[in-house]
Amino acid sequence: MSHPERDTRQIIVDTAERFFRDIGYQKTTVADIAKSLRMSPANVYRFFDSKKSINEAVLERYKREQEEAIIAIAEQDRPAADRLREILIASFRLNAARFAGHARMQEMVCAAMEESWDAIIAHIERFDAVLRRVLADGVASGEFRAIEPAHATGCIRTAMIRFMHPLLISQCECIPGPSAEEMIAFILRGLEAQPQGA
């Protein structure tokens, strides 16, 4: 079944993303997007009330892809440590693939953080909810030591920030430090339940 309005919105988002990659968020105008689509700027504004809202839609697609991927991992019937490891490495790889080495896309993220901070915070809260669920599973099964999942989630996100934040992934590449896999192994070691009598 065709949904013309939804399809047009998607085409606008696809076109905007291409411009953001090719010339950068700051240089892209709604007129550029409209001209590429052989539309008037007024027609674009029927679907998006501002360039900021187009940017939010581009980022929303990225966030949705990441969130769907980590939720699928969290729902698997596997040990919590395995799921947590895979969630963290998948998040790093998805962000690196999208943003590492793509200065113009990093510019778009910076703009989103300045203009749409509420949307970024909402994404972090959804990410944290998935981590809390996996951590709570690990505590309940005795796999992880008795920790407060909400507190541990904040610590894990902070420990992984250089592997998650689109700007830091590139900026920290040349700084000595652990790999993402080494950091995840360190985190998991800290979560392990201690053997009885240890």
Side-chain angles (χ1 to χ4, degrees), residues 62-124:
Y62 292 165
K63 290 181 290 189
R64 187 172 60 249
E65 287 173 2
Q66 181 184 12
E67 289 166 15
E68 288 172 355
I70 67 173
I71 288 168
I73 295 166
E75 291 176 346
Q76 294 172 2
D77 184 18
R78 293 195 290 148
D82 290 351
R83 287 180 284 151
L84 181 58
R85 179 186 297 106
E86 192 171 337
I87 285 168
L88 295 177
I89 200 66
S91 296
F92 163 62
R93 288 176 178 161
L94 284 168
N95 278 312
R98 289 284 190 189
F99 301 109
H102 299 290
R104 291 188 175 114
M105 295 306 283
Q106 291 166 12
E107 172 195 359
M108 183 192 76
V109 173
C110 286
M113 293 180 77
E114 291 171 7
E115 298 173 3
S116 312
W117 185 241
D118 288 346
I120 301 293
I121 291 296
H123 167 64
I124 291 170

Short mmCIF file of all heavy atoms in Angstrom, two decimals, residues 62-124:
data_model
loop_
_atom_site.label_atom_id
_atom_site.label_comp_id
_atom_site.label_asym_id
_atom_site.label_seq_id
_atom_site.Cartn_x
_atom_site.Cartn_y
_atom_site.Cartn_z
N TYR A 62 19.14 7.25 12.20
CA TYR A 62 20.33 6.63 12.77
C TYR A 62 20.04 6.06 14.15
O TYR A 62 20.41 4.94 14.48
CB TYR A 62 21.46 7.65 12.90
CG TYR A 62 22.03 8.15 11.60
CD1 TYR A 62 22.84 9.28 11.56
CD2 TYR A 62 21.76 7.50 10.40
CE1 TYR A 62 23.37 9.75 10.36
CE2 TYR A 62 22.28 7.97 9.21
CZ TYR A 62 23.08 9.09 9.19
OH TYR A 62 23.59 9.57 8.02
N LYS A 63 19.38 6.89 14.98
CA LYS A 63 19.10 6.46 16.35
C LYS A 63 18.19 5.24 16.36
O LYS A 63 18.38 4.31 17.14
CB LYS A 63 18.48 7.61 17.15
CG LYS A 63 19.46 8.74 17.43
CD LYS A 63 18.83 9.86 18.25
CE LYS A 63 17.81 10.62 17.45
NZ LYS A 63 17.31 11.83 18.13
N ARG A 64 17.18 5.25 15.49
CA ARG A 64 16.24 4.13 15.43
C ARG A 64 16.96 2.85 15.03
O ARG A 64 16.73 1.79 15.60
CB ARG A 64 15.10 4.46 14.46
CG ARG A 64 13.99 3.41 14.47
CD ARG A 64 12.80 3.88 13.65
NE ARG A 64 13.15 4.12 12.26
CZ ARG A 64 13.19 5.32 11.68
NH1 ARG A 64 12.91 6.40 12.38
NH2 ARG A 64 13.51 5.45 10.41
N GLU A 65 17.86 2.93 14.04
CA GLU A 65 18.62 1.75 13.62
C GLU A 65 19.43 1.18 14.78
O GLU A 65 19.46 -0.03 15.01
CB GLU A 65 19.55 2.11 12.45
CG GLU A 65 18.83 2.33 11.14
CD GLU A 65 19.76 2.84 10.05
OE1 GLU A 65 20.97 3.00 10.31
OE2 GLU A 65 19.27 3.10 8.94
N GLN A 66 20.12 2.07 15.51
CA GLN A 66 20.93 1.62 16.63
C GLN A 66 20.04 1.02 17.72
O GLN A 66 20.35 -0.05 18.26
CB GLN A 66 21.75 2.77 17.21
CG GLN A 66 22.63 2.33 18.37
CD GLN A 66 23.37 3.49 19.02
OE1 GLN A 66 23.07 4.65 18.76
NE2 GLN A 66 24.33 3.18 19.86
N GLU A 67 18.95 1.70 18.04
CA GLU A 67 18.08 1.22 19.11
C GLU A 67 17.46 -0.13 18.76
O GLU A 67 17.37 -1.02 19.61
CB GLU A 67 17.01 2.26 19.41
CG GLU A 67 17.58 3.49 20.11
CD GLU A 67 16.62 4.68 20.13
OE1 GLU A 67 15.42 4.48 19.85
OE2 GLU A 67 17.08 5.80 20.43
N GLU A 68 17.03 -0.30 17.52
CA GLU A 68 16.45 -1.57 17.10
C GLU A 68 17.48 -2.69 17.19
O GLU A 68 17.17 -3.82 17.61
CB GLU A 68 15.89 -1.47 15.68
CG GLU A 68 14.61 -0.64 15.61
CD GLU A 68 14.15 -0.37 14.19
OE1 GLU A 68 14.88 -0.76 13.24
OE2 GLU A 68 13.06 0.23 14.03
N ALA A 69 18.73 -2.38 16.81
CA ALA A 69 19.79 -3.39 16.86
C ALA A 69 20.06 -3.83 18.29
O ALA A 69 20.18 -5.03 18.57
CB ALA A 69 21.06 -2.85 16.21
N ILE A 70 20.17 -2.87 19.22
CA ILE A 70 20.53 -3.27 20.58
C ILE A 70 19.35 -3.91 21.32
O ILE A 70 19.55 -4.79 22.16
CB ILE A 70 21.13 -2.09 21.38
CG1 ILE A 70 20.12 -0.99 21.67
CG2 ILE A 70 22.38 -1.56 20.68
CD1 ILE A 70 20.63 0.09 22.60
N ILE A 71 18.13 -3.50 20.98
CA ILE A 71 16.96 -4.16 21.59
C ILE A 71 16.91 -5.62 21.16
O ILE A 71 16.64 -6.51 21.98
CB ILE A 71 15.67 -3.41 21.22
CG1 ILE A 71 15.59 -2.08 21.97
CG2 ILE A 71 14.44 -4.26 21.54
CD1 ILE A 71 14.51 -1.14 21.46
N ALA A 72 17.18 -5.88 19.88
CA ALA A 72 17.17 -7.27 19.39
C ALA A 72 18.21 -8.11 20.14
O ALA A 72 17.96 -9.27 20.48
CB ALA A 72 17.44 -7.29 17.89
N ILE A 73 19.37 -7.52 20.42
CA ILE A 73 20.41 -8.24 21.16
C ILE A 73 19.96 -8.47 22.60
O ILE A 73 20.10 -9.57 23.15
CB ILE A 73 21.74 -7.46 21.14
CG1 ILE A 73 22.29 -7.37 19.70
CG2 ILE A 73 22.78 -8.12 22.06
CD1 ILE A 73 23.40 -6.34 19.52
N ALA A 74 19.40 -7.44 23.23
CA ALA A 74 18.97 -7.53 24.63
C ALA A 74 17.91 -8.61 24.82
O ALA A 74 17.84 -9.24 25.89
CB ALA A 74 18.44 -6.19 25.11
N GLU A 75 17.09 -8.85 23.80
CA GLU A 75 15.99 -9.81 23.92
C GLU A 75 16.42 -11.25 23.69
O GLU A 75 15.62 -12.18 23.87
CB GLU A 75 14.88 -9.43 22.93
CG GLU A 75 14.16 -8.15 23.32
CD GLU A 75 13.13 -7.71 22.31
OE1 GLU A 75 13.14 -8.24 21.17
OE2 GLU A 75 12.31 -6.83 22.66
N GLN A 76 17.66 -11.48 23.31
CA GLN A 76 18.12 -12.85 23.05
C GLN A 76 18.25 -13.65 24.34
O GLN A 76 18.48 -13.10 25.41
CB GLN A 76 19.47 -12.81 22.32
CG GLN A 76 19.37 -12.23 20.91
CD GLN A 76 20.73 -12.02 20.27
OE1 GLN A 76 21.76 -12.33 20.86
NE2 GLN A 76 20.73 -11.45 19.08
N ASP A 77 18.06 -14.95 24.21
CA ASP A 77 18.15 -15.85 25.37
C ASP A 77 19.60 -16.32 25.51
O ASP A 77 19.95 -17.43 25.13
CB ASP A 77 17.20 -17.03 25.17
CG ASP A 77 17.16 -17.96 26.39
OD1 ASP A 77 17.59 -17.51 27.47
OD2 ASP A 77 16.73 -19.12 26.24
N ARG A 78 20.42 -15.41 26.04
CA ARG A 78 21.85 -15.68 26.21
C ARG A 78 22.30 -15.07 27.52
O ARG A 78 21.62 -14.21 28.07
CB ARG A 78 22.67 -15.07 25.06
CG ARG A 78 22.42 -15.70 23.72
CD ARG A 78 23.50 -15.30 22.74
NE ARG A 78 23.40 -13.90 22.35
CZ ARG A 78 24.46 -13.14 22.04
NH1 ARG A 78 25.68 -13.61 22.10
NH2 ARG A 78 24.29 -11.90 21.67
N PRO A 79 23.49 -15.45 28.02
CA PRO A 79 23.99 -14.82 29.25
C PRO A 79 24.06 -13.30 29.11
O PRO A 79 24.33 -12.77 28.03
CB PRO A 79 25.38 -15.44 29.42
CG PRO A 79 25.29 -16.76 28.72
CD PRO A 79 24.38 -16.53 27.54
N ALA A 80 23.83 -12.62 30.22
CA ALA A 80 23.82 -11.15 30.21
C ALA A 80 25.15 -10.58 29.74
O ALA A 80 25.18 -9.58 29.02
CB ALA A 80 23.48 -10.63 31.61
N ALA A 81 26.26 -11.19 30.15
CA ALA A 81 27.58 -10.68 29.75
C ALA A 81 27.75 -10.73 28.25
O ALA A 81 28.29 -9.79 27.65
CB ALA A 81 28.69 -11.46 30.44
N ASP A 82 27.28 -11.80 27.62
CA ASP A 82 27.38 -11.91 26.16
C ASP A 82 26.56 -10.83 25.48
O ASP A 82 26.99 -10.21 24.51
CB ASP A 82 26.90 -13.29 25.70
CG ASP A 82 27.82 -14.42 26.10
OD1 ASP A 82 28.94 -14.13 26.60
OD2 ASP A 82 27.44 -15.59 25.92
N ARG A 83 25.34 -10.61 25.99
CA ARG A 83 24.47 -9.59 25.39
C ARG A 83 25.05 -8.20 25.60
O ARG A 83 25.04 -7.38 24.67
CB ARG A 83 23.07 -9.69 26.00
CG ARG A 83 22.29 -10.91 25.51
CD ARG A 83 20.91 -10.96 26.14
NE ARG A 83 20.97 -11.41 27.52
CZ ARG A 83 20.10 -11.05 28.47
NH1 ARG A 83 19.12 -10.20 28.18
NH2 ARG A 83 20.20 -11.53 29.69
N LEU A 84 25.55 -7.93 26.81
CA LEU A 84 26.12 -6.60 27.07
C LEU A 84 27.33 -6.35 26.17
O LEU A 84 27.46 -5.27 25.59
CB LEU A 84 26.51 -6.48 28.54
CG LEU A 84 27.10 -5.13 28.97
CD1 LEU A 84 26.12 -3.99 28.68
CD2 LEU A 84 27.46 -5.15 30.45
N ARG A 85 28.20 -7.33 26.05
CA ARG A 85 29.38 -7.19 25.18
C ARG A 85 28.94 -6.87 23.75
O ARG A 85 29.46 -5.95 23.11
CB ARG A 85 30.21 -8.47 25.19
CG ARG A 85 31.45 -8.41 24.28
CD ARG A 85 32.19 -9.74 24.21
NE ARG A 85 32.73 -10.14 25.50
CZ ARG A 85 32.23 -11.12 26.28
NH1 ARG A 85 31.15 -11.81 25.87
NH2 ARG A 85 32.78 -11.42 27.42
N GLU A 86 27.94 -7.61 23.26
CA GLU A 86 27.52 -7.41 21.86
C GLU A 86 26.83 -6.06 21.67
O GLU A 86 27.00 -5.41 20.65
CB GLU A 86 26.60 -8.56 21.43
CG GLU A 86 26.36 -8.55 19.93
CD GLU A 86 25.64 -9.79 19.43
OE1 GLU A 86 25.68 -10.85 20.09
OE2 GLU A 86 25.02 -9.68 18.36
N ILE A 87 26.05 -5.62 22.66
CA ILE A 87 25.39 -4.31 22.57
C ILE A 87 26.43 -3.20 22.47
O ILE A 87 26.32 -2.30 21.64
CB ILE A 87 24.48 -4.09 23.80
CG1 ILE A 87 23.21 -4.92 23.66
CG2 ILE A 87 24.13 -2.60 23.96
CD1 ILE A 87 22.38 -4.99 24.93
N LEU A 88 27.45 -3.26 23.32
CA LEU A 88 28.46 -2.20 23.33
C LEU A 88 29.29 -2.21 22.05
O LEU A 88 29.57 -1.14 21.49
CB LEU A 88 29.35 -2.35 24.57
CG LEU A 88 28.63 -2.15 25.91
CD1 LEU A 88 29.58 -2.39 27.07
CD2 LEU A 88 28.00 -0.77 26.02
N ILE A 89 29.68 -3.38 21.58
CA ILE A 89 30.51 -3.42 20.37
C ILE A 89 29.66 -3.04 19.14
O ILE A 89 30.14 -2.36 18.23
CB ILE A 89 31.20 -4.79 20.17
CG1 ILE A 89 32.40 -4.65 19.23
CG2 ILE A 89 30.27 -5.87 19.69
CD1 ILE A 89 33.53 -3.82 19.74
N ALA A 90 28.38 -3.45 19.13
CA ALA A 90 27.51 -3.08 18.00
C ALA A 90 27.30 -1.57 17.96
O ALA A 90 27.32 -0.95 16.89
CB ALA A 90 26.17 -3.80 18.11
N SER A 91 27.12 -0.95 19.13
CA SER A 91 26.94 0.50 19.19
C SER A 91 28.17 1.23 18.68
O SER A 91 28.07 2.19 17.91
CB SER A 91 26.62 0.94 20.62
OG SER A 91 25.40 0.38 21.05
N PHE A 92 29.35 0.77 19.09
CA PHE A 92 30.59 1.37 18.62
C PHE A 92 30.71 1.23 17.10
O PHE A 92 30.99 2.22 16.39
CB PHE A 92 31.79 0.71 19.30
CG PHE A 92 33.10 0.97 18.61
CD1 PHE A 92 33.60 2.25 18.48
CD2 PHE A 92 33.84 -0.08 18.07
CE1 PHE A 92 34.80 2.50 17.84
CE2 PHE A 92 35.03 0.15 17.43
CZ PHE A 92 35.52 1.44 17.30
N ARG A 93 30.47 0.05 16.59
CA ARG A 93 30.65 -0.18 15.15
C ARG A 93 29.65 0.61 14.32
O ARG A 93 30.01 1.14 13.26
CB ARG A 93 30.57 -1.68 14.85
CG ARG A 93 31.79 -2.44 15.34
CD ARG A 93 31.68 -3.93 15.13
NE ARG A 93 32.91 -4.60 15.57
CZ ARG A 93 32.99 -5.89 15.85
NH1 ARG A 93 31.93 -6.67 15.73
NH2 ARG A 93 34.14 -6.42 16.24
N LEU A 94 28.41 0.69 14.79
CA LEU A 94 27.41 1.47 14.05
C LEU A 94 27.78 2.95 14.01
O LEU A 94 27.70 3.59 12.96
CB LEU A 94 26.03 1.30 14.69
CG LEU A 94 25.33 -0.03 14.42
CD1 LEU A 94 24.12 -0.20 15.34
CD2 LEU A 94 24.89 -0.13 12.96
N ASN A 95 28.20 3.49 15.15
CA ASN A 95 28.59 4.91 15.18
C ASN A 95 29.85 5.17 14.36
O ASN A 95 29.94 6.18 13.66
CB ASN A 95 28.80 5.36 16.63
CG ASN A 95 27.49 5.72 17.31
OD1 ASN A 95 26.69 6.45 16.77
ND2 ASN A 95 27.29 5.19 18.50
N ALA A 96 30.81 4.25 14.45
CA ALA A 96 32.05 4.42 13.68
C ALA A 96 31.76 4.38 12.19
O ALA A 96 32.30 5.18 11.41
CB ALA A 96 33.06 3.35 14.07
N ALA A 97 30.89 3.46 11.77
CA ALA A 97 30.57 3.34 10.35
C ALA A 97 29.87 4.59 9.82
O ALA A 97 30.10 5.02 8.70
CB ALA A 97 29.69 2.11 10.11
N ARG A 98 29.02 5.18 10.66
CA ARG A 98 28.28 6.36 10.24
C ARG A 98 29.12 7.63 10.26
O ARG A 98 28.98 8.48 9.38
CB ARG A 98 27.08 6.58 11.17
CG ARG A 98 25.97 5.58 11.02
CD ARG A 98 25.17 5.86 9.78
NE ARG A 98 23.96 5.04 9.75
CZ ARG A 98 23.17 4.96 8.70
NH1 ARG A 98 23.46 5.62 7.60
NH2 ARG A 98 22.10 4.20 8.73
N PHE A 99 29.96 7.77 11.29
CA PHE A 99 30.55 9.09 11.56
C PHE A 99 32.07 9.17 11.54
O PHE A 99 32.60 10.24 11.27
CB PHE A 99 30.03 9.61 12.91
CG PHE A 99 28.54 9.75 12.97
CD1 PHE A 99 27.77 8.88 13.73
CD2 PHE A 99 27.89 10.73 12.25
CE1 PHE A 99 26.39 9.01 13.79
CE2 PHE A 99 26.52 10.86 12.29
CZ PHE A 99 25.76 10.00 13.06
N ALA A 100 32.78 8.08 11.86
CA ALA A 100 34.24 8.17 11.93
C ALA A 100 34.79 8.53 10.56
O ALA A 100 34.46 7.90 9.55
CB ALA A 100 34.83 6.85 12.42
N GLY A 101 35.62 9.56 10.51
CA GLY A 101 36.21 9.98 9.24
C GLY A 101 35.27 10.78 8.36
O GLY A 101 35.62 11.14 7.24
N HIS A 102 34.06 11.07 8.85
CA HIS A 102 33.09 11.85 8.07
C HIS A 102 32.87 13.18 8.78
O HIS A 102 31.89 13.36 9.51
CB HIS A 102 31.78 11.08 7.92
CG HIS A 102 31.91 9.77 7.21
ND1 HIS A 102 32.18 9.69 5.86
CD2 HIS A 102 31.85 8.49 7.66
CE1 HIS A 102 32.25 8.40 5.50
NE2 HIS A 102 32.05 7.67 6.58
N ALA A 103 33.76 14.11 8.56
CA ALA A 103 33.72 15.39 9.28
C ALA A 103 32.41 16.12 9.06
O ALA A 103 31.89 16.77 9.97
CB ALA A 103 34.90 16.26 8.85
N ARG A 104 31.84 16.02 7.86
CA ARG A 104 30.61 16.76 7.59
C ARG A 104 29.43 16.16 8.36
O ARG A 104 28.53 16.88 8.79
CB ARG A 104 30.34 16.78 6.09
CG ARG A 104 31.37 17.63 5.34
CD ARG A 104 31.00 17.82 3.89
NE ARG A 104 31.92 18.72 3.24
CZ ARG A 104 32.76 18.36 2.27
NH1 ARG A 104 32.78 17.12 1.83
NH2 ARG A 104 33.57 19.25 1.72
N MET A 105 29.43 14.84 8.53
CA MET A 105 28.37 14.22 9.32
C MET A 105 28.56 14.52 10.81
O MET A 105 27.60 14.65 11.56
CB MET A 105 28.30 12.72 9.07
CG MET A 105 27.92 12.36 7.64
SD MET A 105 26.38 13.15 7.09
CE MET A 105 25.17 12.12 7.91
N GLN A 106 29.81 14.64 11.23
CA GLN A 106 30.07 15.02 12.62
C GLN A 106 29.55 16.45 12.87
O GLN A 106 29.02 16.75 13.95
CB GLN A 106 31.55 14.93 12.92
CG GLN A 106 32.08 13.50 12.93
CD GLN A 106 33.59 13.43 12.89
OE1 GLN A 106 34.27 14.43 13.07
NE2 GLN A 106 34.12 12.25 12.63
N GLU A 107 29.69 17.31 11.87
CA GLU A 107 29.16 18.68 11.97
C GLU A 107 27.65 18.64 12.19
O GLU A 107 27.10 19.40 12.99
CB GLU A 107 29.49 19.42 10.66
CG GLU A 107 28.85 20.79 10.54
CD GLU A 107 28.89 21.33 9.11
OE1 GLU A 107 29.44 20.67 8.21
OE2 GLU A 107 28.34 22.42 8.91
N MET A 108 26.98 17.72 11.50
CA MET A 108 25.54 17.58 11.65
C MET A 108 25.18 17.17 13.07
O MET A 108 24.22 17.68 13.66
CB MET A 108 25.02 16.53 10.66
CG MET A 108 23.52 16.35 10.68
SD MET A 108 22.99 14.88 9.75
CE MET A 108 23.44 13.59 10.92
N VAL A 109 25.98 16.25 13.65
CA VAL A 109 25.72 15.81 15.02
C VAL A 109 25.92 16.98 15.99
O VAL A 109 25.12 17.16 16.92
CB VAL A 109 26.64 14.63 15.40
CG1 VAL A 109 26.50 14.27 16.87
CG2 VAL A 109 26.32 13.42 14.53
N CYS A 110 26.97 17.76 15.77
CA CYS A 110 27.20 18.94 16.62
C CYS A 110 26.01 19.88 16.56
O CYS A 110 25.56 20.40 17.60
CB CYS A 110 28.46 19.67 16.18
SG CYS A 110 29.97 18.84 16.63
N ALA A 111 25.49 20.09 15.36
CA ALA A 111 24.32 20.98 15.21
C ALA A 111 23.13 20.40 15.96
O ALA A 111 22.39 21.13 16.64
CB ALA A 111 23.99 21.16 13.73
N ALA A 112 22.95 19.10 15.86
CA ALA A 112 21.82 18.46 16.56
C ALA A 112 21.96 18.61 18.06
O ALA A 112 20.98 18.86 18.77
CB ALA A 112 21.74 16.99 16.18
N MET A 113 23.19 18.48 18.55
CA MET A 113 23.41 18.59 19.99
C MET A 113 23.15 20.01 20.48
O MET A 113 22.67 20.22 21.59
CB MET A 113 24.81 18.11 20.35
CG MET A 113 25.00 16.62 20.11
SD MET A 113 26.64 16.02 20.52
CE MET A 113 26.53 15.95 22.30
N GLU A 114 23.43 20.98 19.63
CA GLU A 114 23.20 22.38 20.01
C GLU A 114 21.73 22.78 19.84
O GLU A 114 21.18 23.50 20.66
CB GLU A 114 24.08 23.30 19.15
CG GLU A 114 25.56 23.18 19.47
CD GLU A 114 26.44 23.92 18.47
OE1 GLU A 114 25.88 24.63 17.61
OE2 GLU A 114 27.67 23.80 18.55
N GLU A 115 21.11 22.27 18.77
CA GLU A 115 19.76 22.72 18.43
C GLU A 115 18.66 21.80 18.96
O GLU A 115 17.52 22.23 19.12
CB GLU A 115 19.61 22.81 16.90
CG GLU A 115 20.54 23.80 16.24
CD GLU A 115 20.47 23.74 14.72
OE1 GLU A 115 19.66 22.96 14.19
OE2 GLU A 115 21.23 24.47 14.07
N SER A 116 18.98 20.53 19.16
CA SER A 116 17.95 19.53 19.48
C SER A 116 18.40 18.66 20.65
O SER A 116 18.32 17.43 20.59
CB SER A 116 17.66 18.65 18.25
OG SER A 116 17.47 19.43 17.11
N TRP A 117 18.89 19.30 21.69
CA TRP A 117 19.47 18.54 22.80
C TRP A 117 18.46 17.58 23.41
O TRP A 117 18.81 16.48 23.83
CB TRP A 117 20.02 19.50 23.86
CG TRP A 117 20.72 18.82 24.98
CD1 TRP A 117 20.38 18.86 26.29
CD2 TRP A 117 21.90 18.01 24.91
NE1 TRP A 117 21.27 18.12 27.04
CE2 TRP A 117 22.21 17.58 26.21
CE3 TRP A 117 22.71 17.59 23.85
CZ2 TRP A 117 23.29 16.77 26.51
CZ3 TRP A 117 23.80 16.77 24.14
CH2 TRP A 117 24.08 16.37 25.45
N ASP A 118 17.18 17.96 23.45
CA ASP A 118 16.15 17.10 24.03
C ASP A 118 16.07 15.76 23.29
O ASP A 118 15.87 14.71 23.90
CB ASP A 118 14.78 17.79 24.01
CG ASP A 118 14.70 18.92 25.03
OD1 ASP A 118 15.58 18.99 25.92
OD2 ASP A 118 13.75 19.72 24.94
N ALA A 119 16.21 15.81 21.95
CA ALA A 119 16.15 14.57 21.17
C ALA A 119 17.35 13.68 21.46
O ALA A 119 17.22 12.45 21.51
CB ALA A 119 16.11 14.91 19.67
N ILE A 120 18.52 14.27 21.67
CA ILE A 120 19.72 13.50 22.02
C ILE A 120 19.54 12.86 23.39
O ILE A 120 19.83 11.67 23.58
CB ILE A 120 20.98 14.40 22.00
CG1 ILE A 120 21.19 15.04 20.62
CG2 ILE A 120 22.20 13.63 22.46
CD1 ILE A 120 21.53 14.08 19.53
N ILE A 121 19.04 13.62 24.36
CA ILE A 121 18.82 13.10 25.71
C ILE A 121 17.82 11.94 25.67
O ILE A 121 17.99 10.93 26.36
CB ILE A 121 18.32 14.22 26.65
CG1 ILE A 121 19.44 15.23 26.91
CG2 ILE A 121 17.81 13.65 27.97
CD1 ILE A 121 20.65 14.67 27.64
N ALA A 122 16.76 12.07 24.88
CA ALA A 122 15.76 11.01 24.77
C ALA A 122 16.39 9.72 24.24
O ALA A 122 16.08 8.62 24.71
CB ALA A 122 14.61 11.45 23.87
N HIS A 123 17.29 9.86 23.25
CA HIS A 123 17.98 8.69 22.72
C HIS A 123 18.86 8.05 23.80
O HIS A 123 18.85 6.82 23.95
CB HIS A 123 18.83 9.09 21.52
CG HIS A 123 19.81 8.04 21.08
ND1 HIS A 123 19.41 6.81 20.59
CD2 HIS A 123 21.17 8.02 21.09
CE1 HIS A 123 20.48 6.09 20.30
NE2 HIS A 123 21.55 6.80 20.60
N ILE A 124 19.59 8.85 24.55
CA ILE A 124 20.44 8.33 25.63
C ILE A 124 19.60 7.59 26.66
O ILE A 124 19.97 6.51 27.14
CB ILE A 124 21.26 9.46 26.28
CG1 ILE A 124 22.31 9.98 25.29
CG2 ILE A 124 21.93 8.98 27.57
CD1 ILE A 124 23.01 11.25 25.73
#
